[in-house]
């Protein structure tokens, strides 16, 4: 009787979620009592194709259009993040150092701390809206054009393969 260390290969189903298709056969005996090769050698064509695709992405990254998209993104995000972070820190510092001011009533039981806290939520929503609007008006079209051009170039390098 022959002893098996793993499941019977004839009974293993490919659609079995516990079946590791990528690792099957690695290091197992190939029937000649010698271990099977661990990793098949890579083909030079695939490496060359990958290198050419990487060159395309580097070329796109260095292009003026890509730099413009990044510049537009940074011109919005850096000041917006700085303003929002300053507003948040000001709220926390004021709540910590001036509790009497934050407890001052504004209308009935509503005090300055509540108004400022709700202002934090409001500015979060306003910043989200402003970011989405800025992206839609200033970056999305240019980014989609870059993506389209990049995909066309990589398809040409791959010879139309997917």
């Amino acid at each position: 009787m022959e002893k098996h260390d793993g499941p019977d290969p004839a009974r293993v189903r490919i659609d079995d979620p516990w079946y590791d298709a990528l690792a099957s056969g690695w290091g197992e005996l190939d029937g000649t009592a010698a271990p099977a090769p661990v990793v098949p050698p890579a083909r030079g064509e695939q490496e060359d194709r990958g290198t050419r695709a990487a060159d395309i992405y580097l070329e796109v990254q260095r292009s003026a259009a890509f730099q413009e998209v990044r510049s537009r993104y940074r011109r919005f995000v850096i000041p917006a993040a700085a303003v929002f972070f300053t507003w948040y820190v000001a709220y926390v510092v004021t709540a910590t150092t001036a509790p009497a001011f934050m407890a001052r009533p504004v209308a009935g039981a509503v005090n300055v701390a509540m108004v400022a806290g709700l202002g934090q939520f409001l500015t979060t929503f306003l910043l989200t809206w402003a970011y989405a609007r800025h992206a839609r008006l200033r970056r999305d079209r240019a980014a989609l054009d870059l993506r389209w051009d990049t995909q066309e170039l990589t398809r040409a390098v791959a010879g139309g393969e997917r």
Side-chain angles (χ1 to χ4, degrees), residues 20-96:
D20 189 2
L22 294 176
S24 68
W26 286 8
E28 297 174 1
L29 298 180
D30 65 355
T32 62
V38 177
V39 178
R43 290 176 35 197
E45 291 175 9
Q46 292 173 342
E47 290 176 12
D48 187 42
R49 215 180 283 162
T51 303
R52 287 185 285 175
D55 292 340
I56 289 171
Y57 282 101
L58 288 173
E59 179 183 332
V60 168
Q61 184 180 8
R62 292 180 189 120
S63 72
F66 183 82
Q67 296 303 321
E68 180 62 26
V69 170
R70 285 184 69 185
S71 175
R72 288 178 184 181
Y73 171 78
R74 288 180 180 154
R75 280 192 304 244
F76 180 84
V77 168
I78 292 172
V83 167
F84 185 78
F85 185 71
T86 302
W87 160 228
Y88 174 74
V89 169
Y91 172 73
V92 171
V93 168
T94 305
T96 305

